[in-house]
Amino acid sequence: MTRSFLAFFMMISSLVFSQNKLNLIPYPQNIEIKEGNFIIPDVLNISNDLPKKETDYFRKRMGSMIKLKESKKSDAQLVYSPLANTPAGKEEFYSIEISSQQIHIQSYTPQGYFMALQTLIQLFENENTKKKIPAMKIVDQPKFAWRGMHLDVCRHFFTVDEVKQYIDYLAMYKLNTFHWHLTDDQGWRIEIKKYPKLTQVGSKRKESMIGAYVDNTFDGKPYGPYFYTQEQIRDVVKYAQERYITIVPEIEMPGHALAALSAYPELACTKGPFEAATKWGVFDDVFCPKDETFQFLENVLDEVIQLFPSQYIHIGGDECPKTRWKECAHCQELIKKNNLKDEHGLQSYFIQRIEKYVNSKGRKIIGWDEILEGGLAPNAAVMSWTGVNGGIEAAKSKHFAVMTPGAYCYFDHYQGDPQTEPNAFGGFTPLEKVYSYNPIPDELNTEQAKYILGVQANLWTEYILDFKQVQYMIFPRLMALSEVGWGTSDPKNYKEFENRVIHQFKILDKMDVNYSKSIYNIFGKVIPANKGIAYELSTSQNSNGIKYTLDGTVPTIHSKTYQGPVSIPQSLTLKSAYFEDGQLKSAVSSQQFIISKATGKDITLEQQPSENYSFGGAFTLVDGIIGNPKQLGKTWLGFMGKDVVATIDFGQKTGFSELYFNTLENKGSWIHLAKSAQILGSDDNKNFKLIKEIGKEEIQNAHGKIQLNLGSQNSRYLKLRIENAGIIPAGNPGADSKAWLFVDEIGVN
């Protein structure tokens, strides 16, 4: 009877545990909870034969929380047993067995021991107030070999101490790769002794762009010189190695080269003069593929390879306009001499020549997915950022790939409502979206999937002015990335993950980390309702704490309590906020609605928007929200190289006489106004009659804010066809690339 009851009790305890996970991130592959608890002592006796370097790290992380005292193994509460003969892929494997008397760690390598310590630190931090840890056995290892974070130090610079803090954050959450973006148009940040002008000239710029890109404003303040000496880099590399983090340096080529050309203009196709860019974006002046350029880059790479022991050297390869190459006699002769198809073939020639040199030094190259242009270099790995297609193409051709698509992995995007967030690059990548990412594309079979090395998130710093903002942009999204990379993320149980994140905030508070609290804020989503729209509000907390108003006033504790989607029958401004114990706990969210005959109606698109700018899909165009041109977040759809063909179904024949829609122009970001637009009507969704057509000049004169008088019309279906600008013409940033077309609300009255 007693044994049966005990078995029943253990079963119930296991069930409760499965529903209430330990507050660990990334969550381990296997945890078995056992009977009993390990009581956390004020002084933890540790075995005197523990690996020294890793244990010193553990002692430092424990700080004043728990003191560590060395003792002989037989008396120790923390012991370690190395496993023999490391199997391939088990370098980060570890197990932790916790009984009421002892914590026993096993691993094949010191790296595995270090991973175990990270888990143990979180257990101590999370359970320290209870002074006990459940007895358990953890058996764990990561799914992906590459779990990375990137940091751009060119647009804005961060000190050695700040870079070390960044590396510490990666180590805490078991990431193992730091991608250090060291050169770009706006600054050259690495000392190269053979070319001192790279830092004397290229590490500074006369001023910096500030505010939203469309404002085109500058601060008028010299920036720099800022760079890392080789001694500092060796120090950072050593610091990272002690935390089992590989630093992959990036030296951009053949594009993003203005800072280098400002120092050595002879490496360009034209004479210059050049200066480090003060604006963000892409520029036409790139490295010219001539012998002296290759000699320069090889000499630079020689010094880089001496500083960084990583297997891979990142050579950029992205966003290289071909304008100068098309106009350059040497480039055109090189294309003919080597029987290259065109300038894209010349880019492939450039990358392959660099790859051969890097390979001769015993290293490999990795580059952004544009290195696929013209054919991939034989041994190159691809970092797939424009989407997943680059990674798919690489893996299918038996090349390794790291998945870092902008829609999921760009941490310079907004993570909360753009109206309540600091200025960001654009896009909308909340915590839940990062957590939902699967780095293995569905298009790959089991054998091809082996070529996906892992996942990485990128932090570009055009709009990140200081390290506090770096912290804000990576946390808590770095936690989601870590669990995705470890292979234990479960999008179906996102709320459970979110609860673990909130518990982790206590640790970040103690570290004085400026993390984003956007998951506390109210998230609004427009949904179809009763042939119109309703506004659905949610928060990570109890939705009963949401208060809202419909008259534009700021909510108070006495305002209406949210009980379900709020109907929006007419144009109005809804404001909402979260209250707890009578106190305001969130930012006040505000959303204006402009209602037209198209609002909430069925809408279809013939071509889908880019995943980076697709929040809400086609319905975004009839959700009653006019987008802010300074915030390319939730309210705009972006189409790269595609026309917009949208068909609205009014449900019945409807009279109308006016149509409006908005597009954007931001040439520095490759966003161009449409070439033309057509409005057509139909009663059967098959036979459409042209109602009105406008051309490029009319769209430009209206600055993209189109309002058209259509005369008296009466039809069930309305089709709006907006023509993309196509290929960006010479003389513009991104020349020869596909233009972006951004479209917002379609209104009909």
Side-chain angles (χ1 to χ4, degrees), residues 307-338:
L307 291 167
F308 296 94
S310 56
Q311 179 185 18
Y312 285 101
I313 304 295
H314 203 299
I315 49 80
D318 64 314
E319 299 177 326
C320 180
K322 310 301 188 290
T323 304
R324 297 291 184 257
W325 288 0
K326 284 185 175 182
E327 300 166 348
C328 171
H330 167 78
C331 293
Q332 294 305 308
E333 182 60 32
L334 200 58
I335 290 172
K336 292 177 184 176
K337 179 181 175 182
N338 290 279

Short mmCIF file of all heavy atoms in Angstrom, two decimals, residues 307-338:
data_model
loop_
_atom_site.label_atom_id
_atom_site.label_comp_id
_atom_site.label_asym_id
_atom_site.label_seq_id
_atom_site.Cartn_x
_atom_site.Cartn_y
_atom_site.Cartn_z
N LEU A 307 45.76 36.65 -36.01
CA LEU A 307 45.07 37.10 -34.80
C LEU A 307 43.95 36.17 -34.38
O LEU A 307 43.67 36.03 -33.18
CB LEU A 307 44.50 38.51 -35.01
CG LEU A 307 45.51 39.65 -35.15
CD1 LEU A 307 44.82 40.90 -35.66
CD2 LEU A 307 46.17 39.92 -33.81
N PHE A 308 43.27 35.56 -35.36
CA PHE A 308 42.08 34.77 -35.08
C PHE A 308 42.31 33.31 -35.46
O PHE A 308 42.54 33.01 -36.64
CB PHE A 308 40.88 35.32 -35.86
CG PHE A 308 40.47 36.70 -35.46
CD1 PHE A 308 40.95 37.81 -36.16
CD2 PHE A 308 39.61 36.92 -34.40
CE1 PHE A 308 40.57 39.10 -35.80
CE2 PHE A 308 39.22 38.20 -34.04
CZ PHE A 308 39.71 39.30 -34.73
N PRO A 309 42.22 32.39 -34.52
CA PRO A 309 42.44 30.97 -34.83
C PRO A 309 41.23 30.24 -35.39
O PRO A 309 41.26 29.03 -35.56
CB PRO A 309 42.83 30.40 -33.46
CG PRO A 309 42.13 31.26 -32.47
CD PRO A 309 42.09 32.64 -33.08
N SER A 310 40.17 30.96 -35.71
CA SER A 310 38.93 30.32 -36.17
C SER A 310 39.13 29.57 -37.48
O SER A 310 39.92 29.98 -38.34
CB SER A 310 37.83 31.37 -36.35
OG SER A 310 38.26 32.39 -37.23
N GLN A 311 38.37 28.50 -37.65
CA GLN A 311 38.40 27.74 -38.90
C GLN A 311 37.93 28.60 -40.07
O GLN A 311 38.46 28.53 -41.17
CB GLN A 311 37.51 26.49 -38.77
CG GLN A 311 37.45 25.63 -40.02
CD GLN A 311 36.46 24.49 -39.88
OE1 GLN A 311 35.58 24.50 -39.01
NE2 GLN A 311 36.58 23.48 -40.73
N TYR A 312 36.90 29.42 -39.81
CA TYR A 312 36.31 30.25 -40.87
C TYR A 312 36.74 31.70 -40.73
O TYR A 312 36.82 32.24 -39.62
CB TYR A 312 34.78 30.18 -40.81
CG TYR A 312 34.21 28.88 -41.33
CD1 TYR A 312 33.78 27.89 -40.45
CD2 TYR A 312 34.08 28.64 -42.70
CE1 TYR A 312 33.24 26.69 -40.92
CE2 TYR A 312 33.56 27.45 -43.18
CZ TYR A 312 33.14 26.48 -42.29
OH TYR A 312 32.61 25.31 -42.76
N ILE A 313 36.99 32.33 -41.89
CA ILE A 313 37.17 33.77 -41.99
C ILE A 313 36.00 34.30 -42.83
O ILE A 313 35.76 33.82 -43.94
CB ILE A 313 38.51 34.13 -42.68
CG1 ILE A 313 39.69 33.50 -41.94
CG2 ILE A 313 38.66 35.65 -42.78
CD1 ILE A 313 39.91 34.00 -40.53
N HIS A 314 35.27 35.26 -42.29
CA HIS A 314 34.10 35.81 -43.00
C HIS A 314 34.58 36.91 -43.93
O HIS A 314 35.24 37.86 -43.50
CB HIS A 314 33.09 36.36 -41.99
CG HIS A 314 31.69 36.43 -42.51
ND1 HIS A 314 31.34 37.19 -43.60
CD2 HIS A 314 30.54 35.83 -42.10
CE1 HIS A 314 30.04 37.07 -43.83
NE2 HIS A 314 29.53 36.25 -42.93
N ILE A 315 34.22 36.79 -45.22
CA ILE A 315 34.71 37.77 -46.21
C ILE A 315 33.55 38.63 -46.75
O ILE A 315 33.71 39.31 -47.76
CB ILE A 315 35.49 37.10 -47.35
CG1 ILE A 315 34.75 35.90 -47.95
CG2 ILE A 315 36.84 36.61 -46.82
CD1 ILE A 315 33.68 36.22 -48.92
N GLY A 316 32.42 38.65 -46.04
CA GLY A 316 31.32 39.51 -46.46
C GLY A 316 30.71 39.01 -47.75
O GLY A 316 30.04 37.99 -47.79
N GLY A 317 30.93 39.77 -48.84
CA GLY A 317 30.43 39.37 -50.14
C GLY A 317 29.03 39.86 -50.45
O GLY A 317 28.50 39.59 -51.53
N ASP A 318 28.41 40.61 -49.52
CA ASP A 318 27.02 41.04 -49.72
C ASP A 318 26.95 42.43 -50.34
O ASP A 318 27.90 43.21 -50.28
CB ASP A 318 26.27 41.04 -48.39
CG ASP A 318 26.86 42.04 -47.40
OD1 ASP A 318 28.09 42.07 -47.28
OD2 ASP A 318 26.09 42.79 -46.77
N GLU A 319 25.79 42.72 -50.91
CA GLU A 319 25.43 44.08 -51.35
C GLU A 319 26.58 44.78 -52.08
O GLU A 319 26.98 45.88 -51.72
CB GLU A 319 24.98 44.90 -50.14
CG GLU A 319 23.76 44.32 -49.44
CD GLU A 319 23.35 45.09 -48.21
OE1 GLU A 319 24.22 45.63 -47.50
OE2 GLU A 319 22.14 45.16 -47.93
N CYS A 320 27.07 44.11 -53.12
CA CYS A 320 28.15 44.71 -53.91
C CYS A 320 27.59 45.24 -55.23
O CYS A 320 27.38 44.46 -56.17
CB CYS A 320 29.25 43.67 -54.18
SG CYS A 320 30.61 44.34 -55.17
N PRO A 321 27.34 46.54 -55.32
CA PRO A 321 26.85 47.10 -56.59
C PRO A 321 27.88 46.87 -57.69
O PRO A 321 29.09 46.89 -57.45
CB PRO A 321 26.68 48.59 -56.28
CG PRO A 321 26.60 48.67 -54.79
CD PRO A 321 27.47 47.57 -54.28
N LYS A 322 27.40 46.69 -58.90
CA LYS A 322 28.30 46.42 -60.04
C LYS A 322 28.50 47.65 -60.92
O LYS A 322 29.09 47.56 -62.00
CB LYS A 322 27.73 45.27 -60.87
CG LYS A 322 27.32 44.02 -60.06
CD LYS A 322 28.46 43.42 -59.30
CE LYS A 322 28.11 42.08 -58.65
NZ LYS A 322 27.18 42.17 -57.53
N THR A 323 28.00 48.81 -60.45
CA THR A 323 28.04 50.03 -61.27
C THR A 323 29.46 50.38 -61.71
O THR A 323 29.73 50.62 -62.90
CB THR A 323 27.44 51.21 -60.48
OG1 THR A 323 26.11 50.87 -60.06
CG2 THR A 323 27.40 52.47 -61.34
N ARG A 324 30.39 50.44 -60.77
CA ARG A 324 31.77 50.82 -61.11
C ARG A 324 32.42 49.77 -61.99
O ARG A 324 33.20 50.11 -62.89
CB ARG A 324 32.59 51.03 -59.83
CG ARG A 324 32.09 52.17 -58.96
CD ARG A 324 32.34 53.53 -59.61
NE ARG A 324 31.93 54.61 -58.72
CZ ARG A 324 30.81 55.32 -58.85
NH1 ARG A 324 29.99 55.08 -59.86
NH2 ARG A 324 30.52 56.28 -57.99
N TRP A 325 32.14 48.50 -61.74
CA TRP A 325 32.74 47.43 -62.54
C TRP A 325 32.26 47.52 -64.00
O TRP A 325 33.02 47.24 -64.92
CB TRP A 325 32.37 46.07 -61.95
CG TRP A 325 33.07 45.76 -60.66
CD1 TRP A 325 33.96 46.56 -59.99
CD2 TRP A 325 32.93 44.58 -59.88
NE1 TRP A 325 34.38 45.94 -58.83
CE2 TRP A 325 33.77 44.72 -58.73
CE3 TRP A 325 32.18 43.42 -60.01
CZ2 TRP A 325 33.86 43.73 -57.76
CZ3 TRP A 325 32.27 42.43 -59.04
CH2 TRP A 325 33.11 42.59 -57.92
N LYS A 326 31.00 47.91 -64.19
CA LYS A 326 30.47 48.04 -65.56
C LYS A 326 31.17 49.15 -66.33
O LYS A 326 31.32 49.08 -67.56
CB LYS A 326 28.97 48.32 -65.51
CG LYS A 326 28.12 47.11 -65.18
CD LYS A 326 26.64 47.45 -65.26
CE LYS A 326 25.79 46.21 -65.05
NZ LYS A 326 24.35 46.50 -65.17
N GLU A 327 31.60 50.19 -65.60
CA GLU A 327 32.22 51.36 -66.24
C GLU A 327 33.74 51.26 -66.29
O GLU A 327 34.40 52.16 -66.83
CB GLU A 327 31.81 52.62 -65.46
CG GLU A 327 30.30 52.86 -65.41
CD GLU A 327 29.92 53.89 -64.37
OE1 GLU A 327 30.79 54.25 -63.53
OE2 GLU A 327 28.75 54.32 -64.37
N CYS A 328 34.31 50.20 -65.72
CA CYS A 328 35.76 50.08 -65.55
C CYS A 328 36.35 49.25 -66.68
O CYS A 328 36.00 48.08 -66.86
CB CYS A 328 36.05 49.44 -64.19
SG CYS A 328 37.77 49.00 -63.93
N ALA A 329 37.30 49.83 -67.42
CA ALA A 329 37.94 49.13 -68.55
C ALA A 329 38.67 47.88 -68.07
O ALA A 329 38.61 46.82 -68.72
CB ALA A 329 38.90 50.07 -69.27
N HIS A 330 39.35 47.98 -66.93
CA HIS A 330 40.08 46.81 -66.40
C HIS A 330 39.10 45.68 -66.08
O HIS A 330 39.38 44.51 -66.41
CB HIS A 330 40.85 47.19 -65.13
CG HIS A 330 41.36 46.01 -64.37
ND1 HIS A 330 42.47 45.30 -64.76
CD2 HIS A 330 40.87 45.38 -63.26
CE1 HIS A 330 42.66 44.30 -63.92
NE2 HIS A 330 41.70 44.33 -63.00
N CYS A 331 37.99 46.00 -65.44
CA CYS A 331 37.01 44.97 -65.08
C CYS A 331 36.43 44.30 -66.32
O CYS A 331 36.27 43.07 -66.37
CB CYS A 331 35.89 45.58 -64.24
SG CYS A 331 36.43 46.14 -62.61
N GLN A 332 36.10 45.11 -67.32
CA GLN A 332 35.52 44.55 -68.53
C GLN A 332 36.52 43.66 -69.27
O GLN A 332 36.16 42.62 -69.82
CB GLN A 332 35.01 45.67 -69.45
CG GLN A 332 33.84 46.44 -68.87
CD GLN A 332 32.67 45.55 -68.49
OE1 GLN A 332 32.20 44.75 -69.30
NE2 GLN A 332 32.21 45.67 -67.25
N GLU A 333 37.78 44.04 -69.25
CA GLU A 333 38.83 43.23 -69.86
C GLU A 333 38.99 41.92 -69.09
O GLU A 333 39.19 40.85 -69.69
CB GLU A 333 40.14 44.01 -69.89
CG GLU A 333 41.31 43.26 -70.54
CD GLU A 333 41.04 42.91 -72.00
OE1 GLU A 333 40.32 43.66 -72.69
OE2 GLU A 333 41.56 41.85 -72.44
N LEU A 334 38.89 42.00 -67.76
CA LEU A 334 39.01 40.81 -66.93
C LEU A 334 37.87 39.83 -67.20
O LEU A 334 38.07 38.60 -67.21
CB LEU A 334 39.02 41.23 -65.45
CG LEU A 334 39.59 40.25 -64.42
CD1 LEU A 334 41.03 39.89 -64.74
CD2 LEU A 334 39.49 40.86 -63.02
N ILE A 335 36.68 40.36 -67.43
CA ILE A 335 35.53 39.51 -67.75
C ILE A 335 35.78 38.76 -69.06
O ILE A 335 35.54 37.54 -69.16
CB ILE A 335 34.24 40.36 -67.84
CG1 ILE A 335 33.84 40.85 -66.44
CG2 ILE A 335 33.10 39.57 -68.48
CD1 ILE A 335 32.69 41.84 -66.43
N LYS A 336 36.29 39.47 -70.06
CA LYS A 336 36.58 38.83 -71.36
C LYS A 336 37.71 37.81 -71.24
O LYS A 336 37.62 36.69 -71.74
CB LYS A 336 36.96 39.90 -72.38
CG LYS A 336 35.82 40.82 -72.78
CD LYS A 336 36.29 41.89 -73.75
CE LYS A 336 35.18 42.87 -74.08
NZ LYS A 336 35.67 43.97 -74.96
N LYS A 337 38.78 38.21 -70.55
CA LYS A 337 39.97 37.36 -70.44
C LYS A 337 39.65 36.03 -69.77
O LYS A 337 40.20 34.98 -70.13
CB LYS A 337 41.03 38.11 -69.64
CG LYS A 337 42.32 37.34 -69.42
CD LYS A 337 43.30 38.16 -68.59
CE LYS A 337 44.55 37.36 -68.26
NZ LYS A 337 45.49 38.14 -67.41
N ASN A 338 38.75 36.05 -68.79
CA ASN A 338 38.44 34.84 -68.03
C ASN A 338 37.12 34.20 -68.46
O ASN A 338 36.63 33.30 -67.76
CB ASN A 338 38.40 35.17 -66.54
CG ASN A 338 39.78 35.47 -65.97
OD1 ASN A 338 40.55 34.57 -65.67
ND2 ASN A 338 40.09 36.76 -65.86
#
